[in-house]
Amino acid sequence: MRIVILPDPAAVAAFGAQQLIGQLQQKPSSVLGLATGSSPVQLYKRLVQAVQAGQVSMAEVTTFNLDEYLGLATTHSQSYRHFMNTHLFDQVDIRLAATHVLDGLSSDPQKACSAYEALIRDQGGVDLQLLGIGRNGHIGFNEPSSSLVSRTRVKTLTEDTVAANRRFFQPDEFQPHLALTMGIGTIMDAKQILLIATGQDKAEALRHTIEGPVSAHCPASILQMHAKATLVIDKAAAQGLQESAFYQYIEQERQRLVTPSEQA
Ligand code: F6R
């Protein structure tokens, strides 16, 4: 795992956006795995700016989102399809038909999940998967105790996740307790993974993810087993790490290797 610790959320968003932009410049027809929630909002804003400035194009990109609430229509203001259209897709040159979000109103959710897996495979797999992390260590909606080799399926959300996401819903609005989500095995199949996290709320989950044992109790800890996973976090989220000085030292050394001429 590459662990990048940055001063604040703005730096995390800038670094994360640059990773995505770099990926798209290198492979314009990239298949991206995308996340929702508050973590990627600023990153998407920067990506939109880059596309609108002509720095990069998303015209050939295909996307697959991690998850969707079961029971919400795509038009619902809290559906993840709506989130993606608002924060990214409607503002860039991507073909909407090439953007995939699980259907929260599917009459046969399990069939929809299997079809999603097949579609990802047909597109050659995900090149770069963007992730946030829940304060209980979930990735996608793979809550603690999820099988570490799971595939896309229906999951029950924990009370903690429902509580954490209540802020997005109106007080009297229906909030789903079930979701469709890529599995942990599905996520791990991505060629590269980029997880972003900020704030003290995520510190405990990141401690387990980075320095704890690999365990279904903290689903994100499986990223220790991925050959190309980068975790970009701010200082507040890094608070619980015992070895944060070492991770920062590794990054300094990495910079020296990447840009040796600057050291002359
Ligand atoms: C969202 C997702 C979730 C979130 C996580 C963190 O598509 O899959 O795993 O990334 O719940 O959410 P925020 O960023 O709102 O703290």
Side-chain angles (χ1 to χ4, degrees), residues 115-258:
Y116 205 65
E117 287 276 337
L119 205 53
I120 295 173
R121 263 197 314 277
D122 289 350
Q123 295 296 324
V126 170
D127 290 304
L128 177 61
Q129 175 67 56
L130 178 64
L131 296 176
I133 183 171
R135 55 193 188 191
N136 63 5
H138 73 212
I139 46 177
F141 273 140
N142 295 284
E143 299 285 32
S145 83
S146 290
S147 158
L148 296 178
V149 294
S150 50
R151 310 305 304 186
T152 305
R153 70 212 182 294
V154 177
K155 283 297 290 179
T156 307
L157 305 181
T158 62
E159 275 181 29
D160 187 58
T161 297
V162 173
N165 289 350
R166 191 160 293 141
R167 67 192 195 277
F168 298 116
F169 290 81
Q170 299 299 323
D172 53 353
E173 199 172 23
F174 164 65
Q175 184 186 354
H177 291 203
L178 296 175
L180 306 161
T181 182
M182 275 189 198
I184 297 177
T186 321
I187 292 169
M188 288 293 284
D189 282 348
K191 292 168 193 112
Q192 281 190 67
I193 293 184
L194 173 66
L195 182 147
I196 56 169
T198 60
Q200 203 182 339
D201 259 17
K202 304 290 172 72
E204 180 74 359
L206 286 164
R207 187 169 68 80
H208 289 294
T209 299
I210 297 168
E211 295 177 344
V214 173
S215 160
H217 187 64
C218 176
S221 63
I222 192 67
L223 298 179
Q224 293 177 29
M225 305 292 287
H226 197 283
K228 282 192 167 183
T230 302
L231 279 62
V232 188
I233 65 181
D234 72 350
K235 282 220 156 74
Q239 262 171 33
L241 300 178
Q242 276 179 14
E243 303 294 341
S244 70
F246 178 56
Y247 309 139
Q248 291 180 72
Y249 168 64
I250 296 172
E251 278 306 300
Q252 279 169 19
E253 291 300 298
R254 186 186 174 94
Q255 293 313 318
R256 294 202 321 150
L257 289 172
V258 172

